[in-house]
Amino acid sequence: MPDGAGWPPVLYAGPADMAARFGLQELIALAPLPDSEALPANGPPVFADRWPESGTENQREEGEGSGGPLPPYDAARVNDALERASREADSYLAVRLPVPLDTAGGIPQPLGAAVCDMARYHLCAGFGMQDSEAVERRYREALAWLREVARGAAAIVVPAPPEAPLPQAPEPEVIFRPGRHERFF
């Protein structure tokens, strides 16, 4: 699937993957909306799978932490970072694989994790935030893994798309014709 004009870009990870990997608080801190007071920056991390029972005491009292709307973050900035990281990954993968990868069967977990780490770094570095040593280390590790894939020292297994069942041919009709075989008249 070409990544040209008229085609949506193929992302190897999404905002939900980022929230599951780093926690919603970090996602909000990396890409806050203007005038957002969604979550305090100094609380414990809130991961996507624990959001309904998480949140601050005030949010739980107001119903926000119990199945209410997720805290806001700048989805455009997050998607921009994910797209940038996906295209950066493509630049390494293109040495061995046709890119963008066909993701109909799913995205390989190591690739999704690497793209999340790269997007996190881009969010920190691209918007004037000071990136920590851990964020930069994970970014460098993701690039090192992609270099290994490009070199052929590591493999990336792209899941095959689920195949539709093949249509079954009708059973051939058996026609008995006299005179064709000694047992038949």
Side-chain angles (χ1 to χ4, degrees), residues 19-167:
R21 190 162 173 81
F22 306 119
L24 289 172
Q25 282 180 305
E26 180 152 354
L27 194 57
I28 293 166
L30 291 172
L33 287 173
D35 303 325
S36 175
E37 297 178 17
L39 288 175
N42 58 358
V46 178
F47 292 94
D49 60 345
R50 292 188 41 229
W51 171 250
E53 68 260 9
S54 301
T56 63
E57 199 61 44
N58 290 341
Q59 287 172 324
R60 274 184 249 133
E61 288 172 10
E62 295 170 11
E64 293 177 31
S66 55
L70 292 176
Y73 59 86
D74 190 341
R77 282 173 56 178
V78 172
N79 282 328
D80 180 57
L82 287 165
E83 184 176 349
R84 182 176 172 192
S86 294
R87 297 299 66 81
E88 190 174 3
D90 279 346
S91 72
Y92 289 93
L93 298 175
V95 173
R96 296 226 176 250
L97 300 166
V99 294
L101 298 178
D102 182 6
T103 58
I107 296 169
Q109 192 280 331
L111 178 59
V115 167
C116 284
D117 288 338
M118 293 162 65
R120 182 183 187 200
Y121 175 81
H122 292 314
L123 281 169
C124 289
F127 298 107
M129 295 181 183
Q130 186 178 20
D131 46 298
S132 72
E133 290 178 25
V135 171
E136 186 172 350
R137 180 182 45 78
R138 289 173 78 161
Y139 173 74
R140 302 267 177 235
E141 288 172 358
L143 291 182
W145 176 74
L146 287 167
R147 282 188 201 104
E148 293 294 310
V149 171
R151 222 170 38 99
I156 187 166
V157 179
V158 180
E163 293 186 28
L166 297 175

